[in-house]
Amino acid sequence: PLVGGRTSAREAPDSAGLATAIDSALAAVYAPDQPGATVIVVRDGRVLLRKGYGLANVELNVAMRPEMVMALASLGKSFTAAGILKLAEQGKLSLRDDIRRFLPAYPTRGATITIEHLLTHTSGISALAETSDLRAAAVQDAKVIDVVGDWVRDLPPDAAPGEKWAYGNWDYSLLAAIVEQASGQSYAE
């Protein structure tokens, strides 16, 4: 709520108060001897709080530090899904689109795999495709479209599209390639 055109002090603490409140809350959640997290709080372009809590490595008792580089791992799936949904909102694709609209050479073996199948982990793509992700990690500067397809060409599907749910990274690798194709930009862009 606004008071006199400005956010009230009660609702928006000063920067120091905000940083102290967040620091206290995180310190209460992340014990110094347990797995931790890092945080950065920025307000109006100024860093108010940048700190590590808990441990980065419990076995070796390594404290979490804010300058540590973290692996995003499956958090990237959220960004990929958001990119797909943004492109759908812009009318550049539909969740019902066959993936061959954007990846015409992808070996679907005559099945119709939709973007929605990829988003919901119901594509039926072979779980053996997961081993291909290790190769993709070495191809940092290539467009995703340049590294998909060949690795799974000879793998039979595990199920028909939409038939069963199976969590996998490969569906989201293909979605990243679709983001590139539909947007005309690299995934990083």
Side-chain angles (χ1 to χ4, degrees):
L2 297 178
V3 177
R6 306 172 95 189
T7 306
S8 72
R10 192 175 135 209
E11 303 237 354
D14 62 44
S15 295
L18 177 63
T20 300
I22 293 171
D23 183 40
S24 294
L26 291 172
V29 172
Y30 296 102
D33 62 341
Q34 297 296 311
T38 63
V39 65
I40 186 166
V41 178
V42 179
R43 179 188 251 178
D44 298 326
R46 278 191 32 240
V47 174
L48 304 182
L49 176 67
R50 183 172 184 253
K51 189 173 177 180
Y53 300 86
L55 297 175
N57 185 313
V58 176
E59 181 182 348
L60 299 176
N61 198 36
V62 176
M64 187 69 78
R65 295 185 320 273
E67 66 275 4
M68 289 179 157
V69 176
M70 307 291 175
L72 283 178
S74 287
L75 288 174
K77 289 178 177 68
S78 300
F79 294 105
T80 302
I84 288 289
L85 295 174
K86 188 73 170 168
L87 290 165
E89 184 179 81
Q90 294 170 354
K92 294 183 178 181
L93 58 79
S94 165
L95 301 185
R96 304 238 186 274
D97 283 342
D98 185 317
I99 65 170
R100 289 174 292 188
R101 174 177 172 203
F102 299 98
L103 308 172
Y106 191 81
T108 62
R109 301 182 180 279
T112 300
I113 301 172
T114 66
I115 292 173
E116 184 174 9
H117 288 134
L118 297 176
L119 280 170
T120 60
H121 297 284
T122 59
S123 69
I125 292 172
S126 174
L128 293 175
E130 295 300 308
T131 59
S132 301
D133 286 338
L134 299 175
R135 295 183 215 168
V139 190
Q140 296 292 322
D141 295 327
K143 284 188 147 215
V144 178
I145 190 67
D146 295 333
V147 295
V148 300
D150 289 341
W151 299 338
V152 296
R153 185 174 322 281
D154 297 324
L155 298 175
D158 287 342
E163 186 176 280
K164 81 175 198 181
W165 182 89
Y167 182 86
N169 296 320
W170 193 247
D171 288 355
Y172 275 74
S173 296
L174 293 175
L175 287 169
I178 291 169
V179 165
E180 290 183 338
Q181 293 299 104
S183 70
Q185 298 177 309
S186 72
Y187 185 84
E189 292 171 314

